[in-house]
Amino acid sequence: VVAYIAIGTAPYEAVAWQPLSASAAIIMKEPWFTMFIIGGGMIATLTTLNGSIIIYSRIHWAAARDGIWPKVFTKQNKHGVPWVTLWTCTGIALIIILFSIDLGRIFNLVAVPALLLSPIYMVPGAIFPFKLPKCHQSAYFKMNKWVTVAVAVISAGISLKLGWSLFGRMLPSDYIGMLIFFGIGIVYWFVR
């Protein structure tokens, strides 16, 4: 709907291959245009950050509930929000912002291992139709077993390709950072 309106507000020649702000500049005058650009960017950023922090806090809460993280991360407020993990995630984000840490490098540290290891998550999907055929047939969302296998195999292949591509573009310091990060994780796992 937004694209349809954006295309309909100005001649194609004026907005072709341009961001949405090109269309907005044609129909909006100051100060509305500035409010649209700044407000839109801020709202998009805040909603993405809010959703991400809430999602990640819940993941760490579940890890604490399962005994992987310390029990302090299971604390919730009266609304069921895991406040300790929420503030921990917010604090980590604040450190990244205050020290101007390059997000691309942080992304490499977490995304490369995740992409290279994610085919492990695809294995259950590929064997599920054969190991538990009754469950597969009675599933709410039905899919042919060979389509299920194909989706799992294709997903694993894409993950490996993307992970290997990112791995090849990392800096030597990224490899060192990854080794330190996962080294600390391994030590924590065994100490725990």
Side-chain angles (χ1 to χ4, degrees):
V1 172
V2 171
Y4 180 78
I5 293 168
I7 290 170
T9 59
Y12 176 77
E13 301 78 32
V15 295
W17 308 107
Q18 298 296 320
L20 185 58
S21 59
S23 295
I26 293 170
I27 62 167
M28 292 181 173
K29 304 297 178 218
E30 291 295 340
W32 295 107
F33 175 73
T34 303
M35 274 181 34
F36 172 75
I37 298 299
I38 294 172
M42 287 176 61
I43 290 170
T45 302
L46 289 173
T47 55
T48 301
L49 283 174
N50 188 38
S52 297
I53 289 173
I54 289 171
I55 289 167
Y56 289 122
S57 68
R58 187 59 71 172
I59 290 169
H60 296 296
W61 169 83
R65 180 197 62 198
D66 294 345
I68 296 170
W69 287 123
K71 286 292 179 199
V72 69
F73 291 114
T74 61
K75 291 186 178 183
Q76 296 178 349
N77 67 12
K78 65 181 179 180
H79 303 290
V81 176
W83 66 272
V84 174
T85 58
L86 185 62
W87 280 109
T88 303
C89 290
T90 303
I92 291 169
L94 190 60
I95 289 168
I96 291 168
I97 292 167
L98 291 176
F99 290 99
S100 299
I101 299 171
D102 182 13
L103 290 177
R105 299 186 78 188
I106 292 172
F107 179 77
N108 285 345
L109 289 176
V110 295
V112 169
L115 287 167
L116 292 175
L117 295 173
S118 67
I120 293 170
Y121 304 131
M122 312 305 172
V123 172
I127 63 173
F128 172 69
F130 303 100
K131 292 285 187 182
L132 300 167
K134 288 182 182 177
C135 290
H136 183 262
Q137 291 167 355
S138 64
Y140 175 76
F141 181 78
K142 303 211 181 306
M143 219 164 45
N144 178 289
K145 66 180 173 183
W146 293 109
V147 173
T148 305
V149 171
V151 168
V153 170
I154 290 168
S155 298
I158 291 171
S159 292
L160 287 172
K161 172 70 175 142
L162 291 173
W164 190 251
S165 174
L166 280 174
F167 187 75
R169 288 185 274 150
M170 288 173 55
L171 301 172
S173 57
D174 293 334
Y175 297 123
I176 294 167
M178 193 183 309
L179 287 172
I180 291 170
F181 179 77
F182 286 100
I184 291 170
I186 290 169
V187 167
Y188 170 79
W189 181 262
F190 286 105
V191 168
R192 181 191 62 81

